[in-house]
Amino acid sequence: MYRSHNCGELRASHINTEVTLAGWVQKSRNKGFIVWVDLRDRYGMTQLVFDEERTPKEMMKRAEDLGREFVVQVKGKVIERASKNPNMPTGDIEILVSELTILNEALVPPFTIEDKTDGGEELRMKYRYLDIRRNPVKNNLIFRHKVTQEVRNYLSQEGFIEVETPYLIKSTPEGARDFVVPSRMNEGQFYALPQSPQTFKQLLMVGGIDKYFQIVKCFRDEDLRADRQPEFTQIDCEMSFIEQEDILNAFEGLTRHLLKEVNGVEVEKFPRMLYDDAMRLYGNDKPDIRFGMEFGELNAVAQHKDFGVFNAAELVVGIAVPGGNSYTRKEIDKLIDWVRRPQVGALGMVYSRCNDDGSFKSSVDKFYDHDDLAKWAEVTGAKPGDLVCVLSGEKNKVRTQLSALRMELAERLGLRDPKVFAPLWVMDFPLLEWDEDTERYHAMHHPFTSPKPGQLELLKTNPGDVKANAYDLVLNGNEIGGGSIRIHDKETQALMFDYLGFTPEEAKAQFGFLMDAFQYGAPPHGGLAFGLDRLVSILGGQETIRDYIAFPKNNNGRDVMIDAPAPIDDKQLTELSLKLNLKS
């Protein structure tokens, strides 16, 4: 055996035990007459000792020459450590080495393998195999494993069956761009990598697998940001003979289980909020409800004076910032600059100070008196000592801008405690959304989402008002899962394709296999898919997903470690019947 124990398990009870350890050299300290070496593996660190009184000269010389990240095996006796380290689990002991074997030498790594490293993100991604040796990344991957195992155990106990679905499928229009794969055996034809197993899980419902789940890779060729990757992992679930309430109860149960088993947190309440209310009160469909600062719509109390900016706006809306009256003018000016950034896009910000004595002082005192500003405070819920921040403009845009400001202020005020978990169901999304470029409606989720009961006829008169039988599970301001009750009959599905602009021929070409399956007895069904990467990162107290993925891509979708994507040679292109037409 290369090791009898790992580098994290030896304690005072092991003193005088002969052991064999193997791992990487973390660091060494040479005092001339004695050499200490910290040996590291996945489980922890153990101090080795070589001294000139008890260590042969030849071994002493090799110990002095050990470099960082050398892979070594040692044999020796566990002895009591003279200077104990209470910060190390193995800090009471050390190993007096009797045999030293260098299994592999190592170059000096390009960054320090420490919890706090000197390596930038791009450098660490290039040498990801070294980055994984660092405790933060290693522990994140172990944490992901724990979450995944809890998911599998819980769903299996609840009667779900894990079924794998294909990766090489047909390209279908589901929203984002597909990654496509040319077929050598079928010249001029292409597979697509699945954006989700949507149609396959519906086919499994037709097949009678009434409780399905899969922890599955999905692929979307879309622009990236901190919480997106071109390939990501879903906990994909579907159930038959259910209604919406059954889905919500099932996956509230899973979420409660994960919070309890992984984080030691018990959450009983999963409040529910309509999509329209989420947009009105928070400006987005995944509100963080760990703190207040709900929107107050001010049109009725701000558009009666001669302030043209407000009078011309579709929406005037504000939030109360707790304790914000303490901000200096310079700090408020910085907030105004923040909302003017291109990423936010506001033209400016109006503010009103709520003084402790009940008076108000605003940036628009020329137009608004005390009674006006008191109404602003009342509508936004501002109290003495708060600051009211007001934006105005086109309704959808200004809500998005104020939502961004709300989150930024909450971050600055320390209101987004990662150890506090506030789940929320957002319900009744619009079934369709209008696309200005194509001048037609698109499915807000996907074309298999059913409308709310009783709203099918509304498609003919006011399609934009139809609500979907759809729901998202939000945790701490992040969508961690989403799903819907599906259309399960051919006629309704054909009607939906028609309203989405598909001709019968196009619908048949794209989704004929699903329509055909529905003719053979499709049960009522619905489901939900969790984003595993995002779920794990939030449970781990973070909101970016990269450090919970073993080998992530950068913001350009590149794997800088293996240098992918990369060109393929002309022979492969010929075999695939492809010809490049690159833009100059």
Side-chain angles (χ1 to χ4, degrees), residues 449-468:
T449 299
S450 68
K452 294 289 286 186
Q455 295 200 2
L456 192 60
E457 289 300 313
L458 197 57
L459 276 173
K460 299 175 182 177
T461 55
N462 296 292
D465 293 339
V466 179
K467 299 299 183 184

Side-chain angles (χ1 to χ4, degrees), residues 11 91 115 191 236 545:
R11 301 292 187 270
D115 289 3
Y191 299 105
D236 196 53
I545 65 176

Side-chain angles (χ1 to χ4, degrees), residues 35-54:
V35 176
W36 288 286
V37 174
D38 288 341
L39 190 67
R40 181 196 74 243
D41 65 9
R42 168 188 144 188
Y43 305 94
M45 196 129 57
T46 298
Q47 181 170 282
L48 315 177
V49 61
F50 305 81
D51 69 58
E52 59 183 16
E53 292 184 3
R54 294 175 288 183

